[in-house]
Amino acid sequence: MYIFGDNPTYELSGALFHFSMYPCSALIFLFGYDRWELYGKKSIWYILGWSAFSLFFVWLTVKNHALIYTGWKLFYSIPVYPAAAVMLFIVFRFAKKRLMDPELEASSKPH
C-alpha cells in the first residue's frame, strides 16, 4: 500500500523502524490517555487531536517523498486513525481491568 523510505523493497532497516516506531507511538498515545484520565468526551478530543497530528505528519512525509503511496490515499486514513485509536482504547481498558482484577491476582499467587 505504500513505500516508506527510499527503497521499494522491504529491508531489515525498514522492518526495525516499523517494529519500533508503531509500538512506541501507541505507548505514548496510551500513556497520555491513562495518565491524564481522558475518559468520556475528553477521549474524543484526544483521539481527534492525535488523528489530526497523524494526518499532518503523514501528509508531510508524502510531500517530502519519504512515504510514497502505491495503493492507499491519505483521505482513507481519516476514518482509519480514529477507529484504530478506539480499538486501542478498548484493548487497553480490557487489559488494565484484567491486570487490576483482585481475583486474578489472588489466583496467580502460589499457595
Side-chain angles (χ1 to χ4, degrees):
M1 302 298 270
Y2 62 88
I3 299 168
F4 193 80
D6 60 353
N7 195 337
T9 61
Y10 201 69
E11 297 179 358
L12 180 61
S13 61
L16 293 174
F17 177 77
H18 284 103
F19 286 128
S20 61
M21 184 185 80
Y22 295 125
C24 289
S25 299
L27 286 173
I28 293 168
F29 175 74
L30 289 173
F31 174 79
Y33 170 72
D34 192 48
R35 172 76 167 102
W36 295 303
E37 298 177 356
L38 301 171
Y39 311 126
K41 289 182 182 180
K42 289 186 270 184
S43 66
I44 294 169
W45 290 109
Y46 190 65
I47 289 171
L48 291 175
W50 268 87
S51 296
F53 169 76
S54 300
L55 286 166
F56 173 73
F57 182 77
V58 171
W59 173 81
L60 202 58
T61 59
V62 168
K63 288 295 180 191
N64 288 297
H65 305 288
L67 177 67
I68 301 165
Y69 286 129
T70 59
W72 189 262
K73 304 256 186 259
L74 181 60
F75 68 87
Y76 295 168
S77 299
I78 293 170
V80 171
Y81 288 159
V86 168
M87 287 189 281
L88 195 55
F89 281 168
I90 291 168
V91 171
F92 173 75
R93 292 186 69 139
F94 173 78
K96 185 177 177 181
K97 183 178 179 181
R98 294 292 295 157
L99 289 172
M100 300 296 192
D101 187 356
E103 287 183 28
L104 182 65
E105 191 175 313
S107 66
S108 65
K109 291 183 181 176
H111 298 319

PDB file of all heavy atoms in Angstrom, residues 39-73:
ATOM      1  N   TYR A  39     -11.105  10.244  29.832  1.00  0.00           N
ATOM      2  CA  TYR A  39     -12.226   9.353  29.590  1.00  0.00           C
ATOM      3  C   TYR A  39     -13.436  10.154  29.129  1.00  0.00           C
ATOM      4  O   TYR A  39     -13.496  11.364  29.291  1.00  0.00           O
ATOM      5  CB  TYR A  39     -12.561   8.557  30.846  1.00  0.00           C
ATOM      6  CG  TYR A  39     -11.350   7.902  31.485  1.00  0.00           C
ATOM      7  CD1 TYR A  39     -11.035   8.109  32.817  1.00  0.00           C
ATOM      8  CD2 TYR A  39     -10.495   7.106  30.732  1.00  0.00           C
ATOM      9  CE1 TYR A  39      -9.929   7.520  33.400  1.00  0.00           C
ATOM     10  CE2 TYR A  39      -9.384   6.519  31.300  1.00  0.00           C
ATOM     11  CZ  TYR A  39      -9.102   6.726  32.636  1.00  0.00           C
ATOM     12  OH  TYR A  39      -7.993   6.152  33.196  1.00  0.00           O
ATOM     13  N   GLY A  40     -14.418   9.460  28.575  1.00  0.00           N
ATOM     14  CA  GLY A  40     -15.646  10.115  28.142  1.00  0.00           C
ATOM     15  C   GLY A  40     -15.412  11.062  26.979  1.00  0.00           C
ATOM     16  O   GLY A  40     -14.710  10.735  26.022  1.00  0.00           O
ATOM     17  N   LYS A  41     -15.995  12.264  27.085  1.00  0.00           N
ATOM     18  CA  LYS A  41     -15.888  13.240  25.994  1.00  0.00           C
ATOM     19  C   LYS A  41     -14.452  13.698  25.774  1.00  0.00           C
ATOM     20  O   LYS A  41     -14.071  14.050  24.658  1.00  0.00           O
ATOM     21  CB  LYS A  41     -16.787  14.441  26.264  1.00  0.00           C
ATOM     22  CG  LYS A  41     -18.254  14.128  26.129  1.00  0.00           C
ATOM     23  CD  LYS A  41     -19.097  15.354  26.354  1.00  0.00           C
ATOM     24  CE  LYS A  41     -20.571  14.974  26.256  1.00  0.00           C
ATOM     25  NZ  LYS A  41     -21.439  16.119  26.464  1.00  0.00           N
ATOM     26  N   LYS A  42     -13.657  13.699  26.847  1.00  0.00           N
ATOM     27  CA  LYS A  42     -12.259  14.109  26.704  1.00  0.00           C
ATOM     28  C   LYS A  42     -11.499  13.165  25.778  1.00  0.00           C
ATOM     29  O   LYS A  42     -10.604  13.581  25.056  1.00  0.00           O
ATOM     30  CB  LYS A  42     -11.567  14.171  28.064  1.00  0.00           C
ATOM     31  CG  LYS A  42     -12.039  15.319  28.927  1.00  0.00           C
ATOM     32  CD  LYS A  42     -11.209  15.416  30.184  1.00  0.00           C
ATOM     33  CE  LYS A  42     -11.840  14.576  31.266  1.00  0.00           C
ATOM     34  NZ  LYS A  42     -11.169  14.678  32.557  1.00  0.00           N
ATOM     35  N   SER A  43     -11.879  11.892  25.790  1.00  0.00           N
ATOM     36  CA  SER A  43     -11.183  10.928  24.928  1.00  0.00           C
ATOM     37  C   SER A  43     -11.474  11.200  23.451  1.00  0.00           C
ATOM     38  O   SER A  43     -10.619  10.959  22.593  1.00  0.00           O
ATOM     39  CB  SER A  43     -11.553   9.486  25.295  1.00  0.00           C
ATOM     40  OG  SER A  43     -12.911   9.230  25.032  1.00  0.00           O
ATOM     41  N   ILE A  44     -12.661  11.721  23.150  1.00  0.00           N
ATOM     42  CA  ILE A  44     -12.995  12.051  21.757  1.00  0.00           C
ATOM     43  C   ILE A  44     -12.064  13.143  21.249  1.00  0.00           C
ATOM     44  O   ILE A  44     -11.506  13.050  20.152  1.00  0.00           O
ATOM     45  CB  ILE A  44     -14.476  12.478  21.641  1.00  0.00           C
ATOM     46  CG1 ILE A  44     -15.382  11.288  21.963  1.00  0.00           C
ATOM     47  CG2 ILE A  44     -14.765  13.037  20.253  1.00  0.00           C
ATOM     48  CD1 ILE A  44     -16.842  11.645  22.133  1.00  0.00           C
ATOM     49  N   TRP A  45     -11.862  14.181  22.067  1.00  0.00           N
ATOM     50  CA  TRP A  45     -10.957  15.272  21.672  1.00  0.00           C
ATOM     51  C   TRP A  45      -9.517  14.774  21.564  1.00  0.00           C
ATOM     52  O   TRP A  45      -8.764  15.213  20.684  1.00  0.00           O
ATOM     53  CB  TRP A  45     -11.067  16.435  22.646  1.00  0.00           C
ATOM     54  CG  TRP A  45     -12.367  17.139  22.511  1.00  0.00           C
ATOM     55  CD1 TRP A  45     -13.404  17.129  23.401  1.00  0.00           C
ATOM     56  CD2 TRP A  45     -12.798  17.925  21.393  1.00  0.00           C
ATOM     57  NE1 TRP A  45     -14.448  17.871  22.907  1.00  0.00           N
ATOM     58  CE2 TRP A  45     -14.105  18.371  21.676  1.00  0.00           C
ATOM     59  CE3 TRP A  45     -12.213  18.290  20.191  1.00  0.00           C
ATOM     60  CZ2 TRP A  45     -14.824  19.166  20.795  1.00  0.00           C
ATOM     61  CZ3 TRP A  45     -12.931  19.087  19.312  1.00  0.00           C
ATOM     62  CH2 TRP A  45     -14.213  19.515  19.621  1.00  0.00           C
ATOM     63  N   TYR A  46      -9.145  13.873  22.464  1.00  0.00           N
ATOM     64  CA  TYR A  46      -7.794  13.298  22.432  1.00  0.00           C
ATOM     65  C   TYR A  46      -7.580  12.518  21.128  1.00  0.00           C
ATOM     66  O   TYR A  46      -6.561  12.674  20.462  1.00  0.00           O
ATOM     67  CB  TYR A  46      -7.618  12.397  23.658  1.00  0.00           C
ATOM     68  CG  TYR A  46      -6.210  11.925  23.894  1.00  0.00           C
ATOM     69  CD1 TYR A  46      -5.200  12.821  24.209  1.00  0.00           C
ATOM     70  CD2 TYR A  46      -5.887  10.573  23.828  1.00  0.00           C
ATOM     71  CE1 TYR A  46      -3.910  12.384  24.450  1.00  0.00           C
ATOM     72  CE2 TYR A  46      -4.606  10.131  24.072  1.00  0.00           C
ATOM     73  CZ  TYR A  46      -3.619  11.038  24.386  1.00  0.00           C
ATOM     74  OH  TYR A  46      -2.336  10.600  24.625  1.00  0.00           O
ATOM     75  N   ILE A  47      -8.553  11.703  20.764  1.00  0.00           N
ATOM     76  CA  ILE A  47      -8.466  10.929  19.518  1.00  0.00           C
ATOM     77  C   ILE A  47      -8.423  11.860  18.313  1.00  0.00           C
ATOM     78  O   ILE A  47      -7.614  11.666  17.400  1.00  0.00           O
ATOM     79  CB  ILE A  47      -9.647   9.941  19.414  1.00  0.00           C
ATOM     80  CG1 ILE A  47      -9.485   8.813  20.426  1.00  0.00           C
ATOM     81  CG2 ILE A  47      -9.772   9.384  17.999  1.00  0.00           C
ATOM     82  CD1 ILE A  47     -10.699   7.920  20.557  1.00  0.00           C
ATOM     83  N   LEU A  48      -9.278  12.867  18.297  1.00  0.00           N
ATOM     84  CA  LEU A  48      -9.298  13.805  17.176  1.00  0.00           C
ATOM     85  C   LEU A  48      -7.971  14.571  17.061  1.00  0.00           C
ATOM     86  O   LEU A  48      -7.469  14.791  15.960  1.00  0.00           O
ATOM     87  CB  LEU A  48     -10.467  14.773  17.293  1.00  0.00           C
ATOM     88  CG  LEU A  48     -11.851  14.156  17.097  1.00  0.00           C
ATOM     89  CD1 LEU A  48     -12.939  15.197  17.362  1.00  0.00           C
ATOM     90  CD2 LEU A  48     -11.992  13.567  15.703  1.00  0.00           C
ATOM     91  N   GLY A  49      -7.406  14.939  18.188  1.00  0.00           N
ATOM     92  CA  GLY A  49      -6.117  15.629  18.186  1.00  0.00           C
ATOM     93  C   GLY A  49      -4.996  14.769  17.641  1.00  0.00           C
ATOM     94  O   GLY A  49      -4.202  15.201  16.800  1.00  0.00           O
ATOM     95  N   TRP A  50      -4.930  13.538  18.127  1.00  0.00           N
ATOM     96  CA  TRP A  50      -3.898  12.616  17.635  1.00  0.00           C
ATOM     97  C   TRP A  50      -4.121  12.282  16.161  1.00  0.00           C
ATOM     98  O   TRP A  50      -3.152  12.158  15.411  1.00  0.00           O
ATOM     99  CB  TRP A  50      -3.890  11.334  18.462  1.00  0.00           C
ATOM    100  CG  TRP A  50      -2.938  11.409  19.613  1.00  0.00           C
ATOM    101  CD1 TRP A  50      -3.209  11.906  20.850  1.00  0.00           C
ATOM    102  CD2 TRP A  50      -1.580  10.989  19.630  1.00  0.00           C
ATOM    103  NE1 TRP A  50      -2.091  11.811  21.633  1.00  0.00           N
ATOM    104  CE2 TRP A  50      -1.083  11.242  20.917  1.00  0.00           C
ATOM    105  CE3 TRP A  50      -0.746  10.409  18.694  1.00  0.00           C
ATOM    106  CZ2 TRP A  50       0.227  10.948  21.284  1.00  0.00           C
ATOM    107  CZ3 TRP A  50       0.556  10.110  19.063  1.00  0.00           C
ATOM    108  CH2 TRP A  50       1.036  10.378  20.338  1.00  0.00           C
ATOM    109  N   SER A  51      -5.362  12.133  15.763  1.00  0.00           N
ATOM    110  CA  SER A  51      -5.653  11.837  14.358  1.00  0.00           C
ATOM    111  C   SER A  51      -5.227  12.993  13.468  1.00  0.00           C
ATOM    112  O   SER A  51      -4.630  12.789  12.403  1.00  0.00           O
ATOM    113  CB  SER A  51      -7.142  11.540  14.166  1.00  0.00           C
ATOM    114  OG  SER A  51      -7.505  10.379  14.870  1.00  0.00           O
ATOM    115  N   ALA A  52      -5.514  14.215  13.893  1.00  0.00           N
ATOM    116  CA  ALA A  52      -5.109  15.390  13.122  1.00  0.00           C
ATOM    117  C   ALA A  52      -3.591  15.472  13.035  1.00  0.00           C
ATOM    118  O   ALA A  52      -3.035  15.728  11.959  1.00  0.00           O
ATOM    119  CB  ALA A  52      -5.677  16.659  13.754  1.00  0.00           C
ATOM    120  N   PHE A  53      -2.917  15.242  14.158  1.00  0.00           N
ATOM    121  CA  PHE A  53      -1.454  15.253  14.147  1.00  0.00           C
ATOM    122  C   PHE A  53      -0.914  14.172  13.209  1.00  0.00           C
ATOM    123  O   PHE A  53       0.009  14.422  12.428  1.00  0.00           O
ATOM    124  CB  PHE A  53      -0.892  15.044  15.560  1.00  0.00           C
ATOM    125  CG  PHE A  53       0.578  14.777  15.567  1.00  0.00           C
ATOM    126  CD1 PHE A  53       1.474  15.816  15.368  1.00  0.00           C
ATOM    127  CD2 PHE A  53       1.066  13.487  15.750  1.00  0.00           C
ATOM    128  CE1 PHE A  53       2.847  15.570  15.356  1.00  0.00           C
ATOM    129  CE2 PHE A  53       2.419  13.237  15.736  1.00  0.00           C
ATOM    130  CZ  PHE A  53       3.322  14.278  15.543  1.00  0.00           C
ATOM    131  N   SER A  54      -1.482  12.982  13.284  1.00  0.00           N
ATOM    132  CA  SER A  54      -1.030  11.873  12.436  1.00  0.00           C
ATOM    133  C   SER A  54      -1.238  12.166  10.961  1.00  0.00           C
ATOM    134  O   SER A  54      -0.360  11.899  10.132  1.00  0.00           O
ATOM    135  CB  SER A  54      -1.759  10.580  12.814  1.00  0.00           C
ATOM    136  OG  SER A  54      -1.493  10.253  14.150  1.00  0.00           O
ATOM    137  N   LEU A  55      -2.389  12.714  10.633  1.00  0.00           N
ATOM    138  CA  LEU A  55      -2.662  13.070   9.233  1.00  0.00           C
ATOM    139  C   LEU A  55      -1.687  14.139   8.737  1.00  0.00           C
ATOM    140  O   LEU A  55      -1.168  14.049   7.619  1.00  0.00           O
ATOM    141  CB  LEU A  55      -4.096  13.563   9.078  1.00  0.00           C
ATOM    142  CG  LEU A  55      -5.161  12.483   9.154  1.00  0.00           C
ATOM    143  CD1 LEU A  55      -6.531  13.110   9.329  1.00  0.00           C
ATOM    144  CD2 LEU A  55      -5.117  11.597   7.922  1.00  0.00           C
ATOM    145  N   PHE A  56      -1.409  15.129   9.577  1.00  0.00           N
ATOM    146  CA  PHE A  56      -0.445  16.157   9.204  1.00  0.00           C
ATOM    147  C   PHE A  56       0.948  15.554   9.013  1.00  0.00           C
ATOM    148  O   PHE A  56       1.641  15.862   8.041  1.00  0.00           O
ATOM    149  CB  PHE A  56      -0.397  17.266  10.264  1.00  0.00           C
ATOM    150  CG  PHE A  56       0.685  18.266  10.012  1.00  0.00           C
ATOM    151  CD1 PHE A  56       0.572  19.195   8.983  1.00  0.00           C
ATOM    152  CD2 PHE A  56       1.826  18.272  10.793  1.00  0.00           C
ATOM    153  CE1 PHE A  56       1.580  20.117   8.739  1.00  0.00           C
ATOM    154  CE2 PHE A  56       2.841  19.188  10.558  1.00  0.00           C
ATOM    155  CZ  PHE A  56       2.717  20.107   9.532  1.00  0.00           C
ATOM    156  N   PHE A  57       1.345  14.685   9.930  1.00  0.00           N
ATOM    157  CA  PHE A  57       2.659  14.059   9.850  1.00  0.00           C
ATOM    158  C   PHE A  57       2.790  13.217   8.580  1.00  0.00           C
ATOM    159  O   PHE A  57       3.803  13.282   7.879  1.00  0.00           O
ATOM    160  CB  PHE A  57       2.921  13.202  11.096  1.00  0.00           C
ATOM    161  CG  PHE A  57       4.273  12.568  11.101  1.00  0.00           C
ATOM    162  CD1 PHE A  57       5.394  13.314  11.421  1.00  0.00           C
ATOM    163  CD2 PHE A  57       4.426  11.230  10.784  1.00  0.00           C
ATOM    164  CE1 PHE A  57       6.646  12.732  11.425  1.00  0.00           C
ATOM    165  CE2 PHE A  57       5.671  10.641  10.779  1.00  0.00           C
ATOM    166  CZ  PHE A  57       6.793  11.400  11.109  1.00  0.00           C
ATOM    167  N   VAL A  58       1.784  12.432   8.283  1.00  0.00           N
ATOM    168  CA  VAL A  58       1.815  11.601   7.073  1.00  0.00           C
ATOM    169  C   VAL A  58       1.815  12.480   5.822  1.00  0.00           C
ATOM    170  O   VAL A  58       2.553  12.225   4.876  1.00  0.00           O
ATOM    171  CB  VAL A  58       0.647  10.595   7.064  1.00  0.00           C
ATOM    172  CG1 VAL A  58       0.533   9.896   5.731  1.00  0.00           C
ATOM    173  CG2 VAL A  58       0.816   9.581   8.179  1.00  0.00           C
ATOM    174  N   TRP A  59       1.000  13.529   5.819  1.00  0.00           N
ATOM    175  CA  TRP A  59       0.980  14.458   4.689  1.00  0.00           C
ATOM    176  C   TRP A  59       2.368  15.054   4.468  1.00  0.00           C
ATOM    177  O   TRP A  59       2.844  15.159   3.338  1.00  0.00           O
ATOM    178  CB  TRP A  59      -0.043  15.561   4.946  1.00  0.00           C
ATOM    179  CG  TRP A  59      -0.026  16.644   3.920  1.00  0.00           C
ATOM    180  CD1 TRP A  59      -0.619  16.621   2.690  1.00  0.00           C
ATOM    181  CD2 TRP A  59       0.633  17.905   4.023  1.00  0.00           C
ATOM    182  NE1 TRP A  59      -0.366  17.801   2.023  1.00  0.00           N
ATOM    183  CE2 TRP A  59       0.407  18.601   2.827  1.00  0.00           C
ATOM    184  CE3 TRP A  59       1.394  18.508   5.027  1.00  0.00           C
ATOM    185  CZ2 TRP A  59       0.902  19.872   2.603  1.00  0.00           C
ATOM    186  CZ3 TRP A  59       1.895  19.778   4.798  1.00  0.00           C
ATOM    187  CH2 TRP A  59       1.649  20.438   3.601  1.00  0.00           C
ATOM    188  N   LEU A  60       3.033  15.410   5.571  1.00  0.00           N
ATOM    189  CA  LEU A  60       4.375  15.972   5.484  1.00  0.00           C
ATOM    190  C   LEU A  60       5.365  14.960   4.906  1.00  0.00           C
ATOM    191  O   LEU A  60       6.192  15.317   4.058  1.00  0.00           O
ATOM    192  CB  LEU A  60       4.817  16.420   6.883  1.00  0.00           C
ATOM    193  CG  LEU A  60       5.908  17.448   7.005  1.00  0.00           C
ATOM    194  CD1 LEU A  60       5.545  18.733   6.298  1.00  0.00           C
ATOM    195  CD2 LEU A  60       6.165  17.724   8.477  1.00  0.00           C
ATOM    196  N   THR A  61       5.278  13.716   5.323  1.00  0.00           N
ATOM    197  CA  THR A  61       6.184  12.689   4.792  1.00  0.00           C
ATOM    198  C   THR A  61       5.900  12.392   3.326  1.00  0.00           C
ATOM    199  O   THR A  61       6.820  12.099   2.568  1.00  0.00           O
ATOM    200  CB  THR A  61       6.124  11.383   5.612  1.00  0.00           C
ATOM    201  OG1 THR A  61       4.795  10.886   5.604  1.00  0.00           O
ATOM    202  CG2 THR A  61       6.605  11.594   7.032  1.00  0.00           C
ATOM    203  N   VAL A  62       4.647  12.487   2.917  1.00  0.00           N
ATOM    204  CA  VAL A  62       4.302  12.304   1.500  1.00  0.00           C
ATOM    205  C   VAL A  62       4.874  13.459   0.675  1.00  0.00           C
ATOM    206  O   VAL A  62       5.461  13.247  -0.394  1.00  0.00           O
ATOM    207  CB  VAL A  62       2.775  12.178   1.305  1.00  0.00           C
ATOM    208  CG1 VAL A  62       2.396  12.285  -0.159  1.00  0.00           C
ATOM    209  CG2 VAL A  62       2.268  10.868   1.891  1.00  0.00           C
ATOM    210  N   LYS A  63       4.713  14.679   1.176  1.00  0.00           N
ATOM    211  CA  LYS A  63       5.227  15.854   0.455  1.00  0.00           C
ATOM    212  C   LYS A  63       6.748  15.819   0.326  1.00  0.00           C
ATOM    213  O   LYS A  63       7.305  16.321  -0.643  1.00  0.00           O
ATOM    214  CB  LYS A  63       4.806  17.153   1.157  1.00  0.00           C
ATOM    215  CG  LYS A  63       3.347  17.458   0.991  1.00  0.00           C
ATOM    216  CD  LYS A  63       3.042  17.735  -0.469  1.00  0.00           C
ATOM    217  CE  LYS A  63       1.589  18.037  -0.673  1.00  0.00           C
ATOM    218  NZ  LYS A  63       1.209  18.054  -2.065  1.00  0.00           N
ATOM    219  N   ASN A  64       7.414  15.222   1.293  1.00  0.00           N
ATOM    220  CA  ASN A  64       8.882  15.131   1.271  1.00  0.00           C
ATOM    221  C   ASN A  64       9.374  13.830   0.641  1.00  0.00           C
ATOM    222  O   ASN A  64      10.568  13.523   0.710  1.00  0.00           O
ATOM    223  CB  ASN A  64       9.442  15.287   2.683  1.00  0.00           C
ATOM    224  CG  ASN A  64       9.317  16.694   3.169  1.00  0.00           C
ATOM    225  OD1 ASN A  64       9.911  17.593   2.599  1.00  0.00           O
ATOM    226  ND2 ASN A  64       8.518  16.908   4.207  1.00  0.00           N
ATOM    227  N   HIS A  65       8.462  13.050   0.092  1.00  0.00           N
ATOM    228  CA  HIS A  65       8.767  11.804  -0.603  1.00  0.00           C
ATOM    229  C   HIS A  65       9.451  10.754   0.281  1.00  0.00           C
ATOM    230  O   HIS A  65      10.165   9.898  -0.214  1.00  0.00           O
ATOM    231  CB  HIS A  65       9.594  12.065  -1.864  1.00  0.00           C
ATOM    232  CG  HIS A  65       8.948  13.030  -2.790  1.00  0.00           C
ATOM    233  ND1 HIS A  65       7.836  12.702  -3.539  1.00  0.00           N
ATOM    234  CD2 HIS A  65       9.220  14.329  -3.059  1.00  0.00           C
ATOM    235  CE1 HIS A  65       7.475  13.756  -4.248  1.00  0.00           C
ATOM    236  NE2 HIS A  65       8.283  14.767  -3.972  1.00  0.00           N
ATOM    237  N   ALA A  66       9.218  10.846   1.586  1.00  0.00           N
ATOM    238  CA  ALA A  66       9.697   9.803   2.481  1.00  0.00           C
ATOM    239  C   ALA A  66       8.692   8.657   2.523  1.00  0.00           C
ATOM    240  O   ALA A  66       9.039   7.524   2.826  1.00  0.00           O
ATOM    241  CB  ALA A  66       9.909  10.359   3.887  1.00  0.00           C
ATOM    242  N   LEU A  67       7.447   8.967   2.202  1.00  0.00           N
ATOM    243  CA  LEU A  67       6.372   7.980   2.139  1.00  0.00           C
ATOM    244  C   LEU A  67       5.719   8.116   0.775  1.00  0.00           C
ATOM    245  O   LEU A  67       5.320   9.209   0.380  1.00  0.00           O
ATOM    246  CB  LEU A  67       5.342   8.239   3.250  1.00  0.00           C
ATOM    247  CG  LEU A  67       4.119   7.353   3.285  1.00  0.00           C
ATOM    248  CD1 LEU A  67       4.490   5.929   3.642  1.00  0.00           C
ATOM    249  CD2 LEU A  67       3.122   7.881   4.302  1.00  0.00           C
ATOM    250  N   ILE A  68       5.640   7.010   0.069  1.00  0.00           N
ATOM    251  CA  ILE A  68       5.050   7.007  -1.266  1.00  0.00           C
ATOM    252  C   ILE A  68       3.913   5.995  -1.269  1.00  0.00           C
ATOM    253  O   ILE A  68       4.129   4.802  -1.033  1.00  0.00           O
ATOM    254  CB  ILE A  68       6.096   6.638  -2.339  1.00  0.00           C
ATOM    255  CG1 ILE A  68       7.240   7.644  -2.301  1.00  0.00           C
ATOM    256  CG2 ILE A  68       5.456   6.574  -3.722  1.00  0.00           C
ATOM    257  CD1 ILE A  68       8.481   7.197  -3.033  1.00  0.00           C
ATOM    258  N   TYR A  69       2.712   6.498  -1.502  1.00  0.00           N
ATOM    259  CA  TYR A  69       1.553   5.606  -1.553  1.00  0.00           C
ATOM    260  C   TYR A  69       1.529   4.872  -2.887  1.00  0.00           C
ATOM    261  O   TYR A  69       1.732   5.460  -3.938  1.00  0.00           O
ATOM    262  CB  TYR A  69       0.253   6.386  -1.400  1.00  0.00           C
ATOM    263  CG  TYR A  69      -0.014   6.866   0.005  1.00  0.00           C
ATOM    264  CD1 TYR A  69      -0.331   8.181   0.267  1.00  0.00           C
ATOM    265  CD2 TYR A  69       0.019   5.976   1.064  1.00  0.00           C
ATOM    266  CE1 TYR A  69      -0.599   8.613   1.552  1.00  0.00           C
ATOM    267  CE2 TYR A  69      -0.239   6.396   2.347  1.00  0.00           C
ATOM    268  CZ  TYR A  69      -0.548   7.713   2.582  1.00  0.00           C
ATOM    269  OH  TYR A  69      -0.808   8.119   3.859  1.00  0.00           O
ATOM    270  N   THR A  70       1.253   3.559  -2.819  1.00  0.00           N
ATOM    271  CA  THR A  70       1.129   2.761  -4.035  1.00  0.00           C
ATOM    272  C   THR A  70      -0.296   2.257  -4.237  1.00  0.00           C
ATOM    273  O   THR A  70      -0.665   1.906  -5.343  1.00  0.00           O
ATOM    274  CB  THR A  70       2.090   1.559  -4.004  1.00  0.00           C
ATOM    275  OG1 THR A  70       1.792   0.750  -2.859  1.00  0.00           O
ATOM    276  CG2 THR A  70       3.537   2.026  -3.950  1.00  0.00           C
ATOM    277  N   GLY A  71      -1.084   2.202  -3.175  1.00  0.00           N
ATOM    278  CA  GLY A  71      -2.456   1.732  -3.299  1.00  0.00           C
ATOM    279  C   GLY A  71      -3.352   2.350  -2.249  1.00  0.00           C
ATOM    280  O   GLY A  71      -4.487   1.949  -2.060  1.00  0.00           O
ATOM    281  N   TRP A  72      -2.854   3.312  -1.563  1.00  0.00           N
ATOM    282  CA  TRP A  72      -3.566   3.959  -0.470  1.00  0.00           C
ATOM    283  C   TRP A  72      -3.634   5.446  -0.772  1.00  0.00           C
ATOM    284  O   TRP A  72      -2.774   5.998  -1.443  1.00  0.00           O
ATOM    285  CB  TRP A  72      -2.802   3.723   0.836  1.00  0.00           C
ATOM    286  CG  TRP A  72      -3.501   4.150   2.082  1.00  0.00           C
ATOM    287  CD1 TRP A  72      -3.326   5.309   2.760  1.00  0.00           C
ATOM    288  CD2 TRP A  72      -4.470   3.412   2.825  1.00  0.00           C
ATOM    289  NE1 TRP A  72      -4.121   5.355   3.874  1.00  0.00           N
ATOM    290  CE2 TRP A  72      -4.835   4.186   3.936  1.00  0.00           C
ATOM    291  CE3 TRP A  72      -5.082   2.172   2.653  1.00  0.00           C
ATOM    292  CZ2 TRP A  72      -5.776   3.769   4.872  1.00  0.00           C
ATOM    293  CZ3 TRP A  72      -6.008   1.758   3.589  1.00  0.00           C
ATOM    294  CH2 TRP A  72      -6.351   2.554   4.688  1.00  0.00           C
ATOM    295  N   LYS A  73      -4.626   6.096  -0.247  1.00  0.00           N
ATOM    296  CA  LYS A  73      -4.756   7.549  -0.368  1.00  0.00           C
ATOM    297  C   LYS A  73      -4.826   8.127   1.044  1.00  0.00           C
ATOM    298  O   LYS A  73      -5.353   7.493   1.956  1.00  0.00           O
ATOM    299  CB  LYS A  73      -6.031   7.913  -1.123  1.00  0.00           C
ATOM    300  CG  LYS A  73      -6.141   7.271  -2.487  1.00  0.00           C
ATOM    301  CD  LYS A  73      -5.832   8.275  -3.562  1.00  0.00           C
ATOM    302  CE  LYS A  73      -6.088   7.699  -4.926  1.00  0.00           C
ATOM    303  NZ  LYS A  73      -4.915   7.263  -5.609  1.00  0.00           N
TER     304      LYS A  73
END
